Amino acid sequence: MSGRRGYARPLDGADRITARAEADELLIEADKVVRSTDPYLAGHFPGVTLYPAVFLLDGIRQAVGAELHRVPSLAAHLGPGGPGEDWLELGTLDSARVLRPMLEGDGLRLLIRVTPGRPGALRAALDCRRADGVQVAKATVELVRGGTS
Amino acid sequence: MNSGYARLLALLPVRHPMVLVDRVTGFDPGRTIGTAKAVTGSEPCYQDMADDLPAERYAYPRSMILESFGQSAALLWLGSPGAAGDGLPMVGRLRNCVFTGSAFPGDVIRHQVRVEQLVDGGAFMSGESRVGDQVILTVGSLIAVARPAAVVTGGAPGAAAEASSASRHR
């Protein structure tokens, strides 16, 4: 049976994404509910589900890749990519900080602001909050097109 | 440190399929650790891939490379004198990490992690990850912290004891 994914990922980093362009920036709200049935989470940890912070980083690249078409100037800044090209990779992780545990059933909102980075890269700043508004993690990364490094 | 897989499982609080270290290849308590992680196409991250993709699309997710490095750092810390106590080892902060390559099914990722500083309830570490001779990840700073299991698990009944059991087995 044919699959649907165009690149490897640990899990779907967002259940729902909304995005808008603002000048030459891309603003994304990606919602993700932590579920013990998601791939890998049965082992993280046994007896209690804790969402790994690295999966937030994967969620950033997935969401930005999916919504990048909304801001052609950002896509152009990344360099050549085919139509519908949504495969991005982490290039650098400037900083990531985990402030609170993310548990089974938590509704996470990934607020991502995407701006131009160094040539060939986009800068994405993450502010991740639970449904109650409490900030659980924050990060700043640079994204590059998949297959370029 | 015994490089056996059972010993590794006794130290790490994670379980299949989230165990992303396969072997300890070198260990100097309180100073450095070498580990190996074999990438295989049977891992969940490769499920549901479209047919006829070019080989480069099977790049192992870099988030997983970072998690594998973090688990290696946890092994180094947990095997060092005066480590996390009864707390759960967690990554508190990462800084200045740079990816310079990829890994693919069939590759073995070799992590080298160094302790920069041990403090009460925490550890500052750095290191690199390689495939063959190529450095694919440089970690400038990983700060590990020990958090009480009950705090991490939100007080879920029975969960705190289970989640912290691994740290008591070392």
Side-chain angles (χ1 to χ4, degrees):
Chain A
M1 185 176 73
S2 295
R4 59 185 173 82
R5 290 178 172 171
Y7 59 87
R9 67 194 72 178
L11 78 179
D12 288 331
D15 305 321
R16 186 181 65 86
I17 300 174
T18 59
R20 70 179 193 276
E22 192 173 282
D24 61 349
E25 296 184 355
L26 176 62
L27 305 178
I28 297 173
E29 292 183 1
D31 293 328
K32 170 68 182 175
V33 174
V34 178
R35 300 183 192 86
S36 59
T37 52
D38 271 342
Y40 289 102
L41 292 192
H44 199 276
F45 295 115
V48 60
T49 300
L50 283 175
Y51 197 67
V54 295
F55 287 180
L56 295 177
L57 304 179
D58 221 274
I60 294 172
R61 67 147 180 161
Q62 292 176 34
V64 175
E67 301 298 330
L68 186 58
H69 62 91
R70 297 179 184 276
V71 187
S73 63
L74 286 178
H77 185 82
L78 267 183
E85 180 58 80
D86 65 350
W87 178 33
L88 302 183
E89 289 281 19
L90 296 170
T92 65
L93 170 62
D94 295 343
S95 176
R97 192 167 182 189
V98 183
L99 305 170
R100 300 281 189 284
M102 296 165 275
L103 299 166
E104 166 82 18
D106 280 349
L108 306 177
R109 173 156 289 181
L110 287 69
L111 305 166
I112 306 167
R113 176 178 292 271
V114 188
T115 57
R118 61 184 168 83
L122 299 179
R123 188 174 182 82
L126 168 72
D127 173 354
C128 183
R129 294 177 182 270
R130 288 193 312 230
D132 61 5
V134 172
Q135 188 180 44
V136 294
K138 55 185 179 180
T140 304
V141 303
E142 277 203 335
L143 301 170
V144 297
R145 285 205 185 278
T148 57
S149 70
Chain B
M1 178 187 288
N2 184 330
S3 61
Y5 194 70
R7 173 61 175 158
L8 186 153
L9 288 179
L11 286 169
L12 287 176
V14 295
R15 287 296 179 267
H16 175 83
M18 200 60 182
V19 181
L20 301 181
V21 177
D22 294 317
R23 181 171 293 175
V24 175
T25 57
F27 183 60
D28 184 355
R31 297 175 60 89
T32 186
I33 193 171
T35 65
K37 154 66 183 167
V39 177
T40 168
S42 65
E43 293 189 46
C45 62
Y46 292 113
Q47 67 185 7
D48 208 21
M49 297 282 285
D51 291 336
D52 302 322
L53 291 170
E56 62 185 14
R57 294 303 185 104
Y58 291 87
Y60 193 60
R62 292 178 171 181
S63 56
M64 305 296 280
I65 298 173
L66 199 54
E67 174 69 19
S68 180
F69 182 95
Q71 292 183 13
S72 303
L75 285 169
L76 171 57
W77 187 29
L78 294 174
S80 298
D86 287 334
L88 275 177
M90 311 288 291
V91 173
R93 188 164 192 175
L94 282 160
R95 298 184 70 179
N96 301 325
C97 304
V98 181
F99 289 94
T100 49
S102 299
F104 297 88
D107 284 340
V108 175
I109 302 171
R110 297 189 182 277
H111 302 289
Q112 193 71 40
V113 188
R114 297 177 295 277
V115 168
E116 301 294 341
Q117 186 180 6
L118 292 173
V119 298
D120 186 27
F124 294 71
M125 291 173 277
S126 63
E128 302 85 32
S129 306
R130 290 179 169 82
V131 171
D133 293 333
Q134 184 189 9
V135 175
I136 62 170
L137 168 65
T138 301
V139 174
S141 175
L142 181 156
I143 302 175
V145 296
R147 290 184 173 153
V151 171
V152 174
T153 62
E162 188 164 357
S164 64
S165 62
S167 62
R168 289 199 298 273
H169 291 161
R170 63 180 179 270

